[in-house]
Amino acid sequence: MFTQRIPTPHPARLLLGVALLLAFVLVSGCDTGLPDIEAESISPAIPADSKLRHGHLLERATYAAPRVAAEIRSRKGSAAPTANSGTGEDELGDGEYVGLIIGLDTYKVLSRYGEMDPYKVISRYEYDNVFDGLSVWVSEEIVAQLIIDLSLNDEIEWIEPDIEVQLHPFGIREVSATGTESVSWGTLVSGESDAPHNKVDLFVMDTGISTDDVKLESAYDFTSNTDGSAPDIDGHGTHIAGIAAGLANQRGIRGVAPGAHVHALRVLTGQETDDGGPVDLSKAIAAVEHVVSYKLQKPGRPVVLNMSLGAEVGTSEYNALDEAVVAAIENDVTVVIAAGNAGIDASTVTPAHVHEAIVVGAYDQANQFASFSNYGATVDILAPGVDIMSLDHDSDDLVLMSGTSMAAPFVAGAAAAFLAENKNATPAQVEALLVESARSGIAGVPSGTTDRALDVLALTNDHDLLWLTRYALASGGDIAIENEIKVTSITGGNANIYTSGQLSIAAGTQARIDGFGYYAGSFSGDASVFRPRYNPTDLPVVMQQDPLELPSFQAQNYQHVASQQSSGTVRISGEQIQLGTAEAPVVWYVEGDLVLEDASITGYGVILVGDDLFVEQGSAIESASDTHATIAIYAQDDVRIRGHFDAHAFAQDQLSVDNEVRVVGGLAALGQVSLRADASITYAPLAQELLQALRRGQ
């Protein structure tokens, strides 16, 4: 079965399915020359040099045939095909099946076909938003041989068991409804926001949502592949949605970000049994794919994903679900994950050990760390998680639940509230500001665990400068590309261009842009120069969008933050200027112009320029990191770049590249952005230490 995407995947991709997997072991007459392997001992029979990851979990990925048959029955009649559509699932017999997730380059194997037994390997999902790969059911009698044979194929990157993940419930008891709007103690102590939350999308991956007390925009049921409906028969997902985004409508519960656009992703039925379809890694990955696809189509809308589920896997090494979460974050989805309720170190819990995500532990009304909460260095922030009141799924009553599942949506709601007013902040920036603004003082935290608790009100400081770090090129006016240009990303993801005006590429220009072109006005030029790295659903590479909401930068507003100040115009000739370090970045305020002539600047710092910035030929601004831009420059008027430039730059007026240069960072202007000379632009995220430096003294 292949996961439904937005829009429907290209038909050619649906041809692959099971054929690839059986090309080596099930083709008529094929002899691999390898010994037969008995099903009774799967893991020891697989060589240590195979491409199997997390082999210690194979037993947990083994399921009885009725479980597989139940999944097939649930999907019949859906638009997404299965490998044995039109056949009887009773042919599966009474044996066992092993779930596998396989990473590969699908385009290299489209020609590998052969005769196959549809009851030995059953295709489930194909992935190409988060990584290239697919998931399958494999009859236990052939799984070891299949792993060995696939490991011999250099087009297969890895194979791993498809284990179950679970909810993080702890306890529940009903509370009588008051008939009026209520606010949980968690919201009272963490704070709430009155921002226009309808500008933010909040995806809740859980048991579904059944309530009219949140603004439910869409629903998809991954347990039955049903679009438009994701009913909650358990209550867990509805409870979470209320905490994060319950409406301010004088009834029910009021959430942290009332009115945020909520999307239900039902990956658990709430009645998980061996034959009822628990959520596997593969199903959760398909839901993450769904979110990434949505974000690619709506790049201007902030997206938050809440995940209150997980599994202990005995290792901190990332698995397929973890890599999918990282891919979502790289595509500007802010991901919030419950740490889990086993009272263990979260470093061995998927997906809670994903460092790039915002991982949430729990505390109680006495400001004590919850005894059930997972802990450790991977936990980023704490939030209320004991006796949290929120919505019920099948009545007007309010109920109490406890768990890190309840703590996570407080943080997800706070992220949505912040993004409602800072829509172009990156996931890393959201995490950094949530953690930095959190209050310390939660008692009883285990060693190595944060004691900082969510504080929504502390997020209300001015963050106008954050938005520019999200795009390779951004403009509140027009973007004009007139010469040969290459735009890529240091992270390997998309390097997008976004303009509120016209996007124009001169005729005959030799260009390659590894991202999408987004414009609000008009587009002229050759669209084929846009080649996004993430575009599996064949979205148009150039798309019209709403205008960017850009701030008006005033350098003097940040003068009080500066650790170093210069009056008038500053001209640097033949010198090397060393800014600060990661531990102590410099904020330098220049009252007039800043001109570099055969000079260089390096280190960590923010430069606030009262007038124009000129980086002349022979000059260089050099980053102190290979993975991030460690210098950000904000100019009150124009920016002109004619020398090497490892930094993020924002111009209140116009920005131009007038010489053959290499840029590592991101370029943005409230007015026009012009590339008049050959240039190589490699997008690099901004070092988070600079954000902390800017916020000092605000």
Side-chain angles (χ1 to χ4, degrees), residues 465 468 553 555 558 562 564 566 570 572 577-580 585-596 600-613 615 620-621 630-636 639 645-650 690 693-694:
L465 301 183
L468 70 89
F553 169 67
Y558 293 87
Q564 179 178 328
S566 300
V570 175
I572 304 173
I577 303 297
Q578 177 69 44
L579 298 178
V586 166
V587 179
W588 181 16
Y589 175 76
V590 178
E591 183 183 36
D593 296 340
L594 176 60
V595 183
L596 273 63
S600 66
I601 297 177
T602 189
Y604 282 77
V606 178
I607 304 175
L608 309 170
V609 181
D611 288 319
D612 300 324
L613 168 69
V615 181
I621 294 179
T630 63
I631 298 175
I633 304 179
Y634 303 86
Q636 187 70 55
V639 170
F645 196 84
D646 284 1
H648 278 270
F650 169 71
L690 304 189
L694 277 176

Side-chain angles (χ1 to χ4, degrees), residues 243-258:
I243 294 170
L247 292 169
N249 57 3
Q250 304 305 311
R251 62 183 178 84
I253 200 79
R254 188 167 75 247
V256 178

Side-chain angles (χ1 to χ4, degrees), residues 264-496:
L265 302 177
R266 188 178 188 229
V267 295
L268 295 119
T269 65
Q271 296 181 339
E272 276 62 47
T273 61
D274 280 346
D275 59 358
V279 61
D280 314 308
L281 292 178
S282 57
K283 195 176 296 180
I285 293 167
V288 176
E289 280 242 325
H290 183 98
V291 179
V292 174
S293 182
Y294 180 92
K295 178 61 179 177
L296 288 176
Q297 292 181 84
K298 297 178 181 283
R301 283 189 65 86
V303 172
V304 178
L305 169 61
N306 187 94
M307 302 176 69
S308 292
L309 46 79
E312 200 281 323
V313 291
T315 177
S316 60
E317 180 185 352
Y318 283 8
N319 58 30
L321 177 57
D322 302 325
E323 291 178 1
V325 169
V326 172
I329 294 168
E330 290 177 345
N331 280 280
D332 283 327
V333 176
T334 298
V335 181
V336 179
I337 300 174
N341 302 332
I344 61 174
D345 193 317
S347 65
T348 61
V349 177
T350 180
H353 60 193
V354 175
H355 294 287
E356 294 85 347
I358 304 172
V359 180
V360 187
Y363 71 92
D364 64 18
Q365 294 186 59
N367 279 335
Q368 291 284 327
F369 188 79
S371 60
F372 56 78
S373 177
N374 288 351
Y375 54 82
T378 189
V379 176
D380 299 299
I381 194 170
L382 306 179
V386 179
D387 289 342
I388 303 301
M389 181 170 58
S390 188
L391 303 172
D392 192 19
H393 65 294
D394 61 0
S395 74
D396 291 332
D397 289 342
L398 300 178
V399 298
L400 295 182
M401 288 190 185
S402 298
T404 57
S405 284
M406 287 62 250
F410 282 106
V411 177
F418 175 75
L419 285 165
E421 296 187 305
N422 303 273
K423 62 181 296 184
N424 291 294
T426 66
Q429 291 168 350
V430 175
E431 177 181 345
L433 290 164
L434 282 170
V435 171
E436 183 187 348
S437 62
R439 61 179 176 85
S440 60
I442 300 303
V445 298
S447 177
T449 305
T450 182
D451 70 342
R452 298 179 70 84
L454 175 69
D455 187 346
V456 178
L457 297 180
L459 292 172
T460 58
N461 287 331
D462 184 4
H463 303 288
D464 282 350
L465 301 183
L466 297 183
W467 72 270
L468 70 89
T469 65
R470 183 171 162 188
Y471 304 100
L473 294 171
S475 172
D478 300 329
I479 292 180
I481 298 174
E482 302 172 12
N483 287 77
E484 182 174 343
I485 182 175
K486 181 178 181 181
V487 182
T488 188
S489 171
I490 207 168
T491 65
N494 285 340
N496 298 325

Side-chain angles (χ1 to χ4, degrees), residues 141-185:
E141 65 190 80
I142 70 163
V143 67
Q145 188 74 56
L146 183 62
I147 290 172
I148 292 172
D149 290 339
L150 289 176
S151 296
L152 297 176
N153 182 358
D154 58 9
E155 293 160 350
I156 303 295
E157 294 185 7
W158 48 263
I159 309 155
E160 69 180 42
D162 186 8
I163 66 168
E164 294 179 8
V165 293
Q166 303 290 340
L167 291 173
H168 290 315
F170 185 71
I172 176 173
R173 63 184 174 87
E174 290 193 358
V175 178
S176 298
T178 63
T180 59
E181 186 171 83
S182 298
V183 181
S184 75
W185 75 263

